[in-house]
Amino acid sequence: MSRQKPRRNKKYRPRDLGTAPLISHMHVIYAVFSPVYRVIDQIERDGTIDVAGDGMTVYQAAKDGKWYSFADGLLGLVEAYEIWERRSGQNLNMIPLKQLIARIKYNTAITEIETRAARESVDRMRQATMRMTAYEADEMLRDFQIKEELLKVAA
């Protein structure tokens, strides 16, 4: 005689995926932060950074493989997380990243201490991202896009 498991009578309730922490979506976190880590690694390893034909520093995006301006992309990331800092009341200390952006834009030497501090800032941003929900991340992105559009209109 085989014994059957009793039937489960619990009603199915779909879970709202927007309330889950982003740590369950590591591919998204990887796509956002891996280009930054790769550039910092390259600076530490070789003392170089990829440059386009017009002299603009570039990085290759993990998601689509296209090349983008590194300084502008990193500045956008920092500005988006500044919005999150104001909302959450937490300080991610992104000053080293702003200093790295300035050094890259003005083509000045970058020291090991500066890259280490920048890496620690990116680590803090990454940890904060893992604690965010998908809704919080979408809201941060939407607010950043609104900010960018307002700046375009004001210019």
Side-chain angles (χ1 to χ4, degrees):
M1 289 188 194
S2 66
R3 196 173 245 181
Q4 291 182 340
K5 292 184 180 181
R7 188 173 171 173
R8 187 173 175 182
N9 291 329
K10 185 176 177 182
K11 183 179 177 184
Y12 171 73
R13 290 188 184 96
R15 194 175 78 170
D16 185 3
L17 296 177
T19 60
L22 282 182
I23 194 165
S24 60
H25 302 284
M26 287 303 290
H27 62 283
V28 174
I29 295 170
Y30 175 82
V32 171
F33 292 103
S34 67
V36 180
Y37 283 119
R38 280 197 309 263
V39 170
I40 292 173
D41 288 342
Q42 182 180 353
I43 293 169
E44 289 176 339
R45 184 182 58 246
D46 306 332
T48 63
I49 188 167
D50 293 329
V51 177
D54 61 356
M56 178 177 64
T57 57
V58 293
Y59 74 96
Q60 190 171 20
K63 190 171 183 175
D64 60 9
K66 294 182 182 176
W67 291 88
Y68 298 96
S69 167
F70 179 70
D72 294 339
L74 185 56
L75 183 60
L77 189 64
V78 168
E79 289 175 354
Y81 277 84
E82 285 175 340
I83 293 171
W84 184 84
E85 276 183 328
R86 284 192 295 276
R87 285 207 179 133
S88 69
Q90 295 182 18
N91 183 8
L92 297 177
N93 187 19
M94 295 181 289
I95 294 169
L97 284 174
K98 290 180 180 181
Q99 292 169 340
L100 181 68
I101 294 166
R103 292 218 176 253
I104 290 171
K105 278 187 175 182
Y106 296 112
N107 198 22
T108 58
I110 301 169
T111 66
E112 182 182 340
I113 294 169
E114 292 166 333
T115 57
R116 191 177 318 122
R119 181 181 299 277
E120 290 169 1
S121 292
V122 176
D123 289 342
R124 285 189 294 274
M125 291 167 67
R126 189 170 161 267
Q127 291 297 322
T129 305
M130 287 188 213
R131 292 188 303 268
M132 283 182 203
T133 64
Y135 286 148
E136 290 172 329
D138 282 343
E139 186 178 352
M140 181 178 74
L141 177 62
R142 193 173 333 105
D143 289 347
F144 178 72
Q145 290 169 336
I146 290 169
K147 176 187 168 192
E148 289 295 306
E149 289 301 319
L150 288 172
L151 289 173
K152 285 180 188 175
V153 170

